[in-house]
Amino acid sequence: MKHTDPSDISLEIAASTFAALGSEQRLAVLRYLVRAGTDGLSIGELGKRTGVTGSTLTHHMKILAQAGLVTQEKQGRSIICAAVAYDAVRDLSAFLLKECCADSPSPDKDHPHG
């Protein structure tokens, strides 16, 4: 998911990306990769930190990669995983908040002193 303007995100794209994050384990994986920065973590280290290992971690990484949130790159005998979609995560947040309070009553009307 690559977007620079949050207003360009369709409901379908947002829902798909949020679905990829809709697992506690996938969200934990992404958070650890965000913490690791652009250098990422080896798949083994990521498994140690998250407690998600083996085929389960592979499955979660595949879903996150398909959503464009992470990458996996072979370096020698290691697979390095990294979060790459910082802008996409920011855009998702902006998507949620874009119309914040749009339908709320005017503060002056309901709260004359506020």
Side-chain angles (χ1 to χ4, degrees), residues 2-59:
K2 295 178 183 168
H3 298 281
T4 55
D5 181 358
S7 64
D8 289 343
I9 299 176
S10 72
L11 190 58
E12 182 180 350
I13 290 170
S16 172
T17 307
F18 278 120
L21 295 172
S23 154
E24 192 174 313
Q25 290 181 329
R26 283 193 294 275
L27 193 53
V29 165
L30 183 62
R31 287 182 73 198
Y32 274 98
L33 290 176
V34 167
R35 288 175 58 103
T38 56
D39 291 341
L41 296 169
S42 71
I43 195 90
E45 183 60 27
L46 181 59
K48 284 181 198 170
R49 293 186 186 188
T50 63
V52 182
T53 58
S55 61
T56 302
L57 181 56
T58 301
H59 169 75

Side-chain angles (χ1 to χ4, degrees), residues 72-86:
Q72 296 181 85
E73 181 181 317
K74 191 154 177 75
Q75 291 183 1
R77 293 176 45 185
S78 297
I79 296 175
I80 303 300
C81 305
V84 293
Y86 297 101

Side-chain angles (χ1 to χ4, degrees), residues 65-108:
Q66 287 173 340
L69 296 169
V70 301
T71 60
Q72 296 181 85
E73 181 181 317
K74 191 154 177 75
Q75 291 183 1
R77 293 176 45 185
S78 297
I79 296 175
I80 303 300
C81 305
V84 293
Y86 297 101
D87 288 339
V89 173
R90 278 188 211 101
D91 288 351
L92 284 171
S93 178
F95 172 84
L96 286 177
L97 300 174
K98 181 171 109 177
E99 297 182 25
C100 176
C101 308
D103 293 334
S104 71
S106 167
D108 295 340

